[in-house]
Amino acid sequence: MKDCKNIVIAIDGPAASGKGSLAKKLAEELGYDFLDTGSLYRRIALKCLQDKVDPADHQAVIETARAMEEELGQGYDDSALRTDDVGSTASKIAQIQGVRDLLVDFQRNFARKAPKGAVLDGRD
């Protein structure tokens, strides 16, 4: 078993289906690290709104996302991420391949670095 890689559990489903609550509880019970993948897109969306970065300017959004890499793994104010404006902007930037690539790499690294394992809430 010493060569065994970390266990990664990904939970996906429709909005408001309870997947976030389930993922958090499962991570807590197993002692695994938890990551809400959708919050990553929302955090970048919030930063773009705050800095007045146009979501249609893909290069500017990618640069914003790159500049945030260090802080993505830190705590955040969930209520600020749950506004309609942030959600709408997150949907737009989630379609940008460069942002998706960056965040998929972030998620993989998060799971790799988790001491025991990781539970990820979201489809990426």
Side-chain angles (χ1 to χ4, degrees):
M1 285 296 262
K2 69 178 179 180
D3 292 334
C4 185
K5 302 249 185 215
N6 283 1
I7 294 174
V8 178
I9 301 168
I11 299 174
D12 189 23
S17 64
K19 66 184 180 295
S21 297
L22 173 66
K24 285 179 192 173
K25 183 69 173 167
L26 184 60
E28 182 182 306
E29 288 290 321
L30 296 172
Y32 287 6
D33 290 351
F34 169 76
L35 180 64
D36 174 355
T37 65
S39 72
L40 300 175
Y41 291 95
R42 287 176 172 272
R43 291 177 79 180
I44 294 167
L46 179 60
K47 181 73 170 159
C48 286
L49 289 168
Q50 290 170 337
D51 293 354
K52 300 190 183 341
V53 174
D54 182 355
D57 184 347
H58 291 193
Q59 193 56 43
V61 174
I62 292 168
E63 289 171 15
T64 299
R66 279 194 189 119
M68 295 180 67
E69 276 187 278
E70 290 296 318
E71 67 189 76
L72 286 175
Q74 300 170 5
Y76 54 90
D77 175 12
D78 192 54
S79 63
L81 302 180
R82 301 294 168 192
T83 67
D84 289 340
D85 283 347
V86 170
S88 174
T89 303
S91 293
K92 292 173 186 170
I93 67 166
Q95 297 175 29
I96 301 171
Q97 190 60 50
V99 172
R100 293 193 72 80
D101 292 343
L102 185 129
L103 291 183
V104 167
D105 284 346
F106 176 86
Q107 293 165 46
R108 287 180 179 151
N109 287 331
F110 176 89
R112 253 186 234 114
K113 293 177 183 177
K116 291 182 178 181
V119 178
L120 282 66
D121 170 9
R123 66 187 57 185
D124 288 340

